[in-house]
């Protein structure tokens, strides 16, 4: 599990953590992330506020799933499909994504949120090897409003990753954001991490979803995140 909506600066005292869950199985080439209502990923990328959203990173790309009870899927004229393929080719990254992304080790330190001792890396010059799907979210600063509307290509900007010292379990993954408040950052609960075989049903799409494209309905505007966090799965 991991928490988001934890802000920095003046608003930090009033932030309320929202708990999400991530499932990853490289043997199935699959990753799933369940976000609760109000999570940055659901609100910012899909304009959904009344329910959560689920993201499936599969071999053919990333699917976005909304509950059929959401007003986003039931509002006449502007209704979104409850499940659709949002991003071609954005599948689960390999277990060694951090090595391939060319991170720079910065220090050993105390992670402020978990209060555990952590190793920290920054990814300010991401290298994506040929044939490897996107591992880290593209900044939306150049293409806000639509993936297709900007003449400027998206750029990959700085991320920070921390893991539990001597153990290797993830503690923090940060995202570039114009507001600079850290609301989207993932703060992982190392105690909740379970390593072992995953139930195949976790990665099964709802019926009738495979191949249905989001952009055919004018849906979605940016690229959510997808990256592997469990190098032992």
């Amino acid at each position: 599990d991991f928490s988001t909506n934890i802000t920095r600066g003046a608003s930090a005292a009033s932030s309320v953590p929202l708990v999400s869950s991530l499932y990853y199985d490289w043997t199935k080439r699959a990753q799933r992330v369940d976000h609760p209502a109000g999570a940055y990923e659901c609100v910012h990328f899909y304009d959904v506020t009344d329910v959560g959203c689920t993201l499936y990173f599969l071999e053919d790309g990333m699917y976005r799933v909304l509950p059929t009870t959401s007003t986003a899927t039931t509002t006449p004229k502007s209704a979104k499909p409850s499940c659709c393929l949002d991003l071609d080719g954005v599948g689960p990254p390999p277990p060694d994504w951090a090595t391939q992304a060319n991170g720079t080790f910065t220090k050993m330190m105390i992670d402020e949120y978990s209060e555990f001792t952590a190793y920290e890396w920054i990814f300010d010059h991401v290298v994506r090897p040929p044939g490897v799907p996107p591992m880290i979210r593209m900044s939306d600063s150049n293409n806000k409003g639509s993936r297709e509307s900007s003449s400027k290509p998206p750029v990959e900007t700085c991320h920070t990753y921390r893991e539990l010292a001597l153990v290797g379990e993830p503690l923090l993954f940060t995202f570039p954001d114009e507001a600079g408040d850290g609301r989207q950052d993932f703060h992982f609960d190392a105690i909740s991490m379970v390593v072992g075989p995953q139930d195949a049903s976790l990665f099964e799409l709802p019926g009738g979803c495979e191949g249905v494209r989001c952009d055919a309905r004018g849906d979605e505007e940016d690229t959510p995140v997808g990256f592997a966090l469990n190098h032992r799965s």
Side-chain angles (χ1 to χ4, degrees):
D1 294 343
F2 62 91
S3 296
T4 61
N5 202 48
I6 299 168
T7 56
R8 300 187 293 264
S11 59
S14 61
S15 64
V16 178
L18 299 174
V19 179
S20 302
S21 296
L22 184 149
Y23 307 91
Y24 174 79
D25 192 331
W26 182 242
T27 66
K28 297 179 175 64
R29 299 299 191 270
Q31 177 175 283
R32 169 178 169 170
V33 183
D34 294 336
H35 291 289
Y40 184 97
E41 299 280 335
C42 308
V43 176
H44 180 77
F45 297 112
Y46 304 119
D47 195 28
V48 176
T49 59
D50 61 327
V51 294
C53 60
T54 296
L55 306 179
Y56 292 82
F57 299 86
L58 305 176
E59 288 192 275
D60 59 338
M62 194 208 76
Y63 286 81
R64 187 274 296 136
V65 179
L66 303 176
T68 55
T69 55
S70 170
T71 56
T73 64
T74 58
T75 302
K77 295 184 180 180
S78 62
K80 304 173 185 287
S82 61
C83 179
C84 55
L85 176 61
D86 185 18
L87 296 164
D88 288 318
V90 181
D96 61 348
W97 68 268
T99 300
Q100 295 196 44
N102 196 32
T104 300
F105 179 77
T106 61
K107 57 190 172 183
M108 183 176 180
M109 43 87 72
I110 300 297
D111 177 66
E112 299 91 342
Y113 185 71
S114 67
E115 298 184 343
F116 289 143
T117 301
Y119 298 139
E120 180 181 272
W121 287 262
I122 59 171
F123 296 87
D124 50 354
H125 298 288
V126 177
V127 174
R128 184 178 301 166
V132 175
M135 293 174 282
I136 298 177
R137 181 182 170 276
M138 296 270 192
S139 168
D140 60 8
S141 59
N142 286 340
N143 61 346
K144 182 68 176 175
S146 172
R147 285 204 311 258
E148 309 298 334
S149 64
S150 176
S151 60
K152 297 181 180 179
V155 294
E156 292 184 79
T157 52
C158 187
H159 301 260
T160 298
Y161 172 70
R162 294 176 188 167
E163 66 177 36
L164 190 58
L166 305 179
V167 179
E169 294 181 353
L171 291 177
L172 173 71
F173 193 90
T174 70
F175 301 90
D177 64 277
E178 294 179 355
D181 64 359
R183 193 174 299 277
Q184 188 185 6
D185 297 347
F186 289 7
H187 296 263
F188 290 90
D189 179 2
I191 297 175
S192 73
M193 184 172 177
V194 177
V195 178
Q198 301 293 313
D199 189 328
S201 65
L202 285 170
F203 309 106
E204 294 176 356
L205 292 170
C209 178
E210 190 169 359
V212 176
R213 301 187 62 87
C214 297
D215 55 14
R217 299 286 296 276
D219 200 11
E220 326 325 350
E221 62 181 33
D222 264 318
T223 308
V225 64
F227 57 95
L229 293 164
N230 183 0
H231 65 279
R232 294 172 291 180
S233 290

